[in-house]
Amino acid sequence: MVVKVYGPVYASPKRVLVCLLEKEIEFETIPINLLTGENRSPEFLNLQPFGSLPVIQDGDYTLFESRAIIRYYAEKYKSQGADLLGKTMEDQGLVQQWLEVEAHNFEPPVLNLVRQIMFSSFYGLTGDKKVIKESEEKLGKVLDIYEDRLSKSKYLAGDFFSLADLSHLPFTHYLVGPVGKEYMIKERKHVSAWWDDISSRPSWKKVLDTYGLPF
């Protein structure tokens, strides 16, 4: 059964696509245009009542929330493709820990920067300078913690690429690209080496080459 992934051009669905490629799982994509409100249609809300992306359909099984989806497939196909969870319970605990850090400490300030710089520019608006400054300061503190962690291990959960690293790909790509804050990564030696490593993975390159940016 081919997995259906909705909204592939957007950031969070790209998490799912990279995971599926890493796990060698066959999938197809279904475009959803947020700008025209396709995510508010009755058909889509029947799949995802909050109207957000991504959603997957795997036979008669439907699941939403990108981190829930990647956890599901990493566990379901643990012995297939790249092991994204770790071999021991301790490894797995660290993967889950850093996945939570990404969700609650890393993404919020990056998302603010995306909204205030990337999205505002698209709509011809000027971002809120105060929000940009505060978000940059918050993100800087998070990245300082990452720098310390990555000075001790190649990847966030240890010496293996995992969901914890994978989950950072879409929004860090925005950060170093359209948002124009690449220096925040590059000025931290170990964070920079880590980003160069994970963003060079064939799975991520394929997702970018195939689906690009939403606008």
Side-chain angles (χ1 to χ4, degrees):
M1 188 71 68
V2 177
V3 179
K4 295 180 181 180
V5 183
Y6 289 77
V9 300
Y10 300 100
S12 293
K14 285 186 170 68
R15 262 191 204 105
V16 175
L17 299 180
V18 174
C19 179
L20 294 175
L21 287 170
E22 291 280 349
K23 298 305 293 180
E24 301 172 2
I25 300 167
E26 189 176 358
F27 64 88
E28 63 178 293
T29 58
I30 300 172
I32 295 290
N33 192 331
L34 299 182
L35 299 179
T36 60
E38 287 183 359
N39 58 311
R40 306 309 302 178
S41 70
E43 294 80 10
F44 187 80
L45 291 175
N46 189 49
L47 298 174
Q48 216 297 17
F50 300 102
S52 60
L53 294 168
V55 184
I56 64 96
Q57 286 183 295
D58 192 341
D60 60 0
Y61 183 63
T62 300
L63 190 64
F64 54 83
E65 295 295 339
S66 62
R67 295 176 191 84
I69 295 169
I70 64 176
R71 285 179 170 118
Y72 169 73
Y73 282 111
E75 184 61 46
K76 182 176 182 179
Y77 295 93
K78 186 167 173 55
S79 61
Q80 178 177 310
D83 182 358
L84 301 174
L85 291 173
K87 300 188 184 309
T88 68
M89 289 296 294
E90 289 72 23
D91 287 342
Q92 292 170 28
L94 288 171
V95 171
Q96 299 297 343
Q97 169 186 279
W98 285 100
L99 197 53
E100 291 294 317
V101 170
E102 183 272 326
H104 300 294
N105 299 91
F106 178 84
E107 184 173 303
V110 176
L111 186 56
N112 278 340
L113 292 171
V114 168
R115 287 170 173 160
Q116 296 298 326
I117 298 173
M118 180 177 159
F119 287 179
S120 292
S121 175
F122 174 76
Y123 287 110
L125 303 173
T126 301
D128 186 320
K129 292 182 179 179
K130 181 181 178 183
V131 173
I132 292 171
K133 183 175 183 294
E134 290 175 349
S135 299
E136 195 168 334
E137 289 173 353
K138 288 178 182 178
L139 179 59
K141 292 176 182 178
V142 173
L143 290 174
D144 286 343
I145 294 170
Y146 278 43
E147 178 68 8
D148 180 64
R149 171 60 181 171
L150 292 166
S151 71
K152 300 167 185 172
S153 62
K154 185 175 181 180
Y155 300 103
L156 288 171
D159 292 324
F160 61 99
F161 177 77
S162 75
L163 293 182
D165 308 291
L166 179 157
S167 195
H168 287 79
L169 284 165
F171 281 98
T172 308
H173 178 70
Y174 283 172
L175 183 73
V176 303
V179 172
K181 302 292 182 182
E182 184 179 22
Y183 74 90
M184 297 191 73
I185 300 296
K186 293 300 181 184
E187 70 183 9
R188 294 169 171 86
K189 175 183 175 181
H190 297 98
V191 173
S192 182
W194 166 75
W195 173 246
D196 288 345
D197 182 307
I198 67 172
S199 62
S200 297
R201 291 185 76 85
S203 58
W204 177 242
K205 288 185 173 182
K206 184 173 182 178
V207 167
L208 284 183
D209 289 345
T210 305
Y211 301 105
L213 292 172
F215 44 75

